[in-house]
Amino acid sequence: MSYCLNPACPNPENLVHTELCQACGSKLLLRDRYRVLQTLGHGGFGATYLAKDESLPGFPHCVIKQLRPAASSPHVLQMARELFKREAKTLGRIGNHPQIPRLLDYFEANQEFYLVQEYISGSTLQQEVKRSGPFSEAGVKQFLSEVLPMLQYIHSQQVIHRDIKPANLIRRSQDKKLVLIDFGAVKDQVNPTRAGASEQTALTAYAIGTPGYAPPEQMAMRPVYASDIYALGVTCIYLLTGKSPKDLDYDPATGEMLWREKVHISDHFADVLRKMLEVSVRHRYQSSNEVLRALDLEPYLDSLAQGMVTKPNRPLYQAEPEYSPSVDLNDTTPSTPSSRMAAAIRARQQAKAASSEATSLQPGSPRRRLMTQKASLSTAIKSKGTAGVPSAAPKLASTDLLTAYAKGRRDFTSHDLSLLNLQRANLAEANFHQAKLQKINFQGANLFNADFGKASLSHAVLRNANMARAYLSHADLEGADLRGADLSFAYLSNANLRGANLCGADLTGAKVSEEQLATARTNWTTVHPSGKRGVW
């Protein structure tokens, strides 16, 4: 089909090779090279089309974004022209990032403005959730680990995206990487005092962003970098629940989204999301690096504090906390990294101690649960006549672990599960973060969406295991037997694959580098991230 872009055309659809629109007589070849094939979407300020460039060999596809002002007054046209130039300039500056569409062309014709961008083939995250259902906690962590560095790059270029949402994140078919699209609502928007009320209304939907995803300061036309962090947090809630912001309730007193009861995630991850979604911008994470640091360190802050801060009369046993509030690690006053971290943790603990004692000790509160847990553990230790506490991670037998999983337990963080025999066990979406799993037998096990971040899996038997979408960031898989394992869409960034046997493994869409795979064993039956078979 050849599509006519004349807004007054009564029937814009034409046959493929037609030169002039059969309904209105307009030229169908835009700028004598771009043939529009179909519409991709409409917005308050224009439309987006799929087209092909007939001036290049092979007629490659591209995306044409048409900015069409709703009003034709000189003020609105001038604002539209400035927005158009700003988006083109922004795309030209940041489009060299592999996860941002490249700007190919831009021009003005008949008081309408056109941007031509690289076409990204794939599905949006919104389409993915509607098709396959919500993500697990590990899946959302994997999503954040891929998007946050991209967002940090955008912010380093002095750009605020202002419209981060599932519909603007495409999983590229070619390599399964996420690509951020639609930079039409970037930071430096037109000053609304230039236009009258009706003209400002014509620009509002374009300039502010998407209601529900945009935080209060952005809706008030005062966006900051942390505004994108809020939108990313709302996107995480969508991925976990499958519900858009308009389908969730809000606290009428504070304006906060009420989402915690809708998701089944660990307390520390919930706390990270809670800080991303702070209504008050000053209490929100200020950068992508802060979020990444919190995701990486928050489960272990109490143990870090004990290791770096000397306390008198410290108890011999310190239970692992269920609740780890956020910490600001930006304190640069002390001289060394360890002292800086210790100072930050001390500040967090002092702030925590200063909070209301009555609130923190309410039944069901995290602190009350923690105190109960400590008391139970202390009683157990005393009943055994133990003078101290072993420093090793908690040890479970195979039957104990399977029984706990069958009863609904999913968190086995930091446990010592080395040498266990768990052949063909169903442990989908279990959390083995930083667990000791050396020489464990997971042959044929269902480990779909499981979290193995920083886990030690050296010489583990994972033959024919289902590890699709597993999170294996910084995991040690040296010498592991992964023959025939399903690692499709697994996150293996920074994992140690030295000597791992990946013969016959399926790595379709997995996040793993050439350098990592070069250290592993592969053969002609190995399916690489591109979907092709063969030795790397």
Side-chain angles (χ1 to χ4, degrees):
M1 183 179 71
S2 191
Y3 199 89
C4 178
L5 295 184
N6 177 6
C9 182
N11 185 19
E13 297 182 2
N14 293 268
L15 297 176
V16 176
H17 299 295
T18 310
E19 295 299 322
L20 298 176
C21 178
Q22 296 179 346
C24 69
S26 300
K27 287 181 62 176
L28 294 177
L29 206 59
L30 187 62
R31 217 181 192 191
D32 296 324
R33 63 183 295 185
Y34 303 112
R35 185 177 297 277
V36 177
L37 304 178
Q38 66 182 74
T39 59
L40 294 176
H42 287 273
F45 207 35
T48 307
Y49 303 93
L50 175 64
K52 60 181 180 179
D53 187 349
E54 296 191 352
S55 69
L56 294 177
F59 297 172
H61 286 99
C62 57
V63 170
I64 294 179
K65 186 171 183 178
Q66 180 191 50
L67 284 75
R68 182 187 299 164
S72 58
S73 69
H75 287 305
V76 171
L77 287 175
Q78 182 59 28
M79 282 190 284
R81 185 173 288 109
E82 290 183 15
L83 287 169
F84 164 71
K85 290 180 179 178
R86 187 168 294 118
E87 182 173 4
K89 182 179 179 181
T90 299
L91 286 171
R93 187 165 78 248
I94 68 175
N96 60 341
H97 191 281
Q99 290 168 272
I100 296 172
R102 289 180 294 118
L103 177 67
L104 304 176
D105 195 4
Y106 69 101
F107 53 92
E108 180 179 345
N110 300 322
Q111 294 188 335
E112 292 172 358
F113 310 94
Y114 297 92
L115 290 167
V116 184
Q117 294 175 256
E118 173 188 9
Y119 171 64
I120 306 299
S121 176
S123 299
T124 67
L125 287 186
Q126 185 179 49
Q127 294 169 332
E128 199 170 299
V129 168
K130 288 182 176 179
R131 181 175 62 246
S132 305
F135 286 30
S136 66
E137 176 177 341
V140 176
K141 286 179 178 176
Q142 179 174 335
F143 158 75
L144 285 173
S145 66
E146 184 172 354
V147 173
L148 284 166
M150 181 192 348
L151 192 59
Q152 185 67 23
Y153 166 79
I154 293 169
H155 291 171
S156 72
Q157 301 298 311
Q158 290 78 53
V159 171
I160 303 172
H161 187 277
R162 293 183 53 145
D163 201 18
I164 292 175
K165 58 184 178 181
N168 281 342
L169 284 156
I170 296 178
R171 194 178 300 281
R172 188 162 49 202
S173 300
Q174 178 184 358
D175 57 7
K176 308 305 177 185
K177 290 184 181 296
L178 290 173
V179 179
L180 182 60
I181 64 170
D182 198 352
F183 284 77
V186 293
K187 178 184 65 172
D188 299 321
Q189 294 299 335
V190 175
N191 187 338
T193 59
R194 283 183 171 180
S198 61
E199 294 165 348
Q200 183 180 341
T201 303
L203 294 169
T204 297
Y206 182 80
I208 288 180
T210 303
Y213 288 91
E217 76 277 0
Q218 183 174 320
M219 299 299 286
M221 304 298 287
R222 293 179 178 86
V224 293
Y225 295 125
S227 303
D228 283 345
I229 300 294
Y230 182 95
L232 188 60
V234 180
T235 299
C236 289
I237 301 303
Y238 175 84
L239 296 179
L240 287 166
T241 64
K243 297 180 181 296
S244 65
K246 64 182 177 61
D247 296 325
L248 295 171
D249 294 327
Y250 286 79
D251 186 328
T254 64
E256 293 175 326
M257 185 188 303
L258 302 177
W259 55 271
R260 186 63 182 95
E261 300 302 318
K262 306 288 185 182
V263 298
H264 301 286
I265 56 177
S266 63
D267 284 343
H268 90 265
F269 187 48
D271 199 59
V272 173
L273 292 179
R274 192 176 293 112
K275 190 168 180 179
M276 293 176 72
L277 292 165
E278 279 281 359
V279 173
S280 171
V281 68
R282 70 170 57 187
H283 296 130
R284 199 182 306 152
Y285 291 116
Q286 299 300 301
S287 71
S288 300
N289 279 342
E290 285 189 18
V291 184
L292 283 169
R293 193 159 51 221
L295 284 170
D296 197 30
L297 292 179
E298 289 208 10
Y300 318 109
L301 284 179
D302 280 356
S303 59
L304 281 170
Q306 292 169 19
M308 290 184 291
V309 184
T310 303
K311 295 181 181 179
N313 302 320
R314 185 175 60 181
L316 291 172
Y317 187 87
Q318 180 70 38
E320 181 182 349
E322 293 184 13
Y323 180 77
S324 299
S326 304
V327 63
D328 184 0
L329 299 177
N330 287 330
D331 184 2
T332 57
T333 303
S335 57
T336 66
S338 60
S339 61
R340 285 197 298 270
M341 187 176 292
I345 293 172
R346 282 197 298 271
R348 178 186 66 85
Q349 291 175 332
Q350 290 167 2
K352 182 179 179 181
S355 64
S356 171
E357 190 73 16
T359 301
S360 65
L361 291 175
Q362 286 180 350
S365 69
R367 186 177 174 190
R368 184 64 172 266
R369 292 198 305 268
L370 178 56
M371 292 179 67
T372 303
Q373 180 187 15
K374 287 180 179 177
S376 300
L377 288 166
S378 178
T379 302
I381 290 169
K382 290 178 180 178
S383 67
K384 293 181 180 180
T386 307
V389 178
S391 59
K395 182 74 175 178
L396 286 177
S398 300
T399 52
D400 295 334
L401 186 148
L402 293 174
T403 300
Y405 184 90
K407 291 181 177 179
R409 180 176 171 185
R410 296 294 183 268
D411 190 0
F412 303 99
T413 301
S414 299
H415 280 64
D416 184 357
L417 306 173
S418 302
L419 300 172
L420 293 190
N421 184 3
L422 293 164
Q423 289 189 69
R424 294 180 292 279
N426 178 21
L427 296 167
E429 300 189 353
N431 185 354
F432 298 106
H433 196 91
Q434 216 173 29
K436 294 181 179 180
L437 305 164
Q438 295 98 327
K439 297 184 179 180
I440 194 169
N441 188 350
F442 273 136
Q443 182 171 341
N446 179 15
L447 302 169
F448 175 80
N449 245 334
D451 184 350
F452 292 100
K454 295 187 178 180
S456 177
L457 286 152
S458 59
H459 303 284
V461 179
L462 293 153
R463 189 171 183 177
N464 298 320
N466 176 13
M467 302 182 73
R469 298 191 180 277
Y471 183 75
L472 293 146
S473 177
H474 293 90
D476 182 8
L477 288 156
E478 182 170 357
D481 183 358
L482 290 152
R483 287 176 292 173
D486 182 359
L487 289 160
S488 56
F489 303 102
Y491 190 88
L492 289 151
S493 180
N494 297 305
N496 177 17
L497 297 177
R498 186 174 300 279
N501 191 338
L502 290 166
C503 296
D506 184 358
L507 290 154
T508 302
K511 186 172 180 60
V512 62
S513 68
E514 298 181 23
E515 291 77 12
Q516 286 175 279
L517 288 178
T519 66
R521 294 174 57 191
T522 60
N523 66 1
W524 66 273
T525 63
T526 303
V527 182
H528 292 279
S530 62
K532 296 181 179 179
R533 292 182 181 271
V535 179
W536 193 266

